Amino acid sequence: MHFDIVTGLPDLLRGPLDHSILRRAITEQIISIEIHDLRNYGIGKNRQIDDYQYGGGAGMVLMVEPLDRCIEALKRVRTYDHIIYLTPDGKRLKQKMANQLSLGTNLMLICGHYKGIDHRIRENHVTLEVSIGDYVLTGGELAAMVLVDAVSRLIPGTMNDGTSALTDSFQDGMLAPPVYTRPSQYKGWKVPQILLSGHDQKIEDWRRQKALERTRHIRPDLLESDD
Ligand code: SAH
């Protein structure tokens, strides 16, 4: 899976890619990520990428031309499963969407900033608009990282144990059961005895039961929805 990320603030994206699971997935060429600095497509001597919005009002808007030139340049190299704009008014990112996106080959992610991007880019280039939740961020970079992380961990080989991602919350429409590790007693706080029993079937049943209880209690809506 290849990700192209278009941003006016490339430095914001580097940290999360340099550590742990994502870094290993990149080193092992399970995923590849290229960050494209919008300034390289900026206009004039100052490489301008944003301007005031028509009609007045506070907040800058990322201009149509630098974005269009960048997107066109990338499209000449690759064919994309989706050109995604991260935006609070997009379709909410859920596990089901992450699963679907993880089956693709190339994704382009466009990060807005300030007031957003010139709407003509959304009308003419973007094929999927994604929100990571009902709140507003200062820019699309963190949202892009959330999407890259959620999708990448579903790609076979990214996680050491391929089954691990399948037992996480939402994957089967339920929250995950509680997990524990050594020691089995700490300050008198005990790990549930069943987990120490070595009885695989009973442990499996217990985990399912706990997952169901937690889902009913914390997120009953998940049991009714199909996404
Ligand atoms: N004026 C816009 C918000 C702009 S926020 C509006 O009211 O809808 C600036 C940028 O941050 C956006 O262009 C988008 O790329 C990103 N962003 C903010 N909140 C986001 C969210 N919940 N999900 C995805 N991207 C978000």
Side-chain angles (χ1 to χ4, degrees):
M1 166 79 79
H2 178 79
F3 298 92
D4 280 306
I5 308 181
V6 177
T7 170
L9 291 165
D11 290 342
L12 256 183
L13 291 166
R14 305 212 195 271
L17 303 174
D18 277 349
H19 301 279
S20 187
I21 295 175
L22 286 191
R23 182 165 106 169
R24 205 185 55 235
I26 292 168
T27 312
E28 293 179 5
Q29 296 178 354
I30 296 160
I31 58 169
S32 53
I33 302 178
E34 273 177 57
I35 299 170
H36 303 276
D37 187 346
L38 204 50
R39 289 251 166 231
N40 294 337
Y41 301 86
I43 293 168
K45 174 157 84 13
N46 293 331
R47 298 187 168 186
Q48 186 182 356
I49 58 169
D50 54 20
D51 209 338
Y52 296 102
Q53 59 173 315
Y54 275 123
M60 305 294 274
V61 175
L62 289 182
M63 300 160 81
V64 66
E65 189 179 339
L67 277 167
D68 178 53
R69 280 170 38 198
C70 178
I71 294 167
E72 287 292 355
L74 296 179
K75 274 180 158 178
R76 281 195 284 278
V77 181
R78 288 192 169 85
T79 307
Y80 292 93
D81 298 284
H82 273 298
I83 297 183
I84 298 175
Y85 174 47
L86 284 311
T87 177
D89 56 5
K91 187 171 180 202
R92 188 92 66 82
L93 176 62
K94 293 193 176 172
Q95 195 63 30
K96 188 172 169 186
M97 189 197 284
N99 285 339
Q100 282 161 354
L101 292 176
S102 76
L103 302 174
T105 312
N106 297 312
L107 291 177
M108 190 194 301
L109 309 183
I110 300 169
C111 306
H113 221 82
Y114 319 108
K115 260 326 226 191
I117 65 174
D118 190 303
H119 206 73
R120 288 167 287 184
I121 294 294
R122 300 173 68 168
E123 289 164 339
N124 294 293
H125 277 306
V126 170
T127 63
L128 180 65
E129 301 195 324
V130 178
S131 163
I132 63 160
D134 289 349
Y135 40 81
V136 179
L137 307 167
T138 56
E141 287 75 14
L142 294 178
M145 277 297 98
V146 167
L147 191 148
V148 167
D149 190 298
V151 169
S152 297
R153 69 195 290 286
L154 295 167
I155 297 170
T158 300
M159 308 279 277
N160 269 339
D161 174 355
T163 58
S164 181
L166 301 177
T167 58
D168 287 316
S169 288
F170 308 115
Q171 203 58 45
D172 55 1
M174 283 207 276
L175 301 181
V179 291
Y180 301 86
T181 187
R182 286 186 292 181
S184 63
Q185 281 210 52
Y186 174 74
K187 287 185 172 176
W189 306 339
K190 290 187 190 139
V191 170
Q193 198 55 40
I194 186 86
L195 295 177
L196 313 175
S197 70
H199 196 302
D200 289 346
Q201 186 56 50
K202 280 191 182 154
I203 291 172
E204 187 54 41
D205 292 346
W206 180 88
R207 285 184 170 151
R208 255 205 103 61
Q209 180 60 29
K210 286 289 166 196
L212 195 58
E213 275 171 23
R214 285 171 52 73
T215 312
R216 271 202 196 113
H217 185 60
I218 303 167
R219 292 291 305 276
D221 57 296
L222 289 178
L223 298 171
E224 280 135 42
S225 106
D226 61 0
D227 64 359

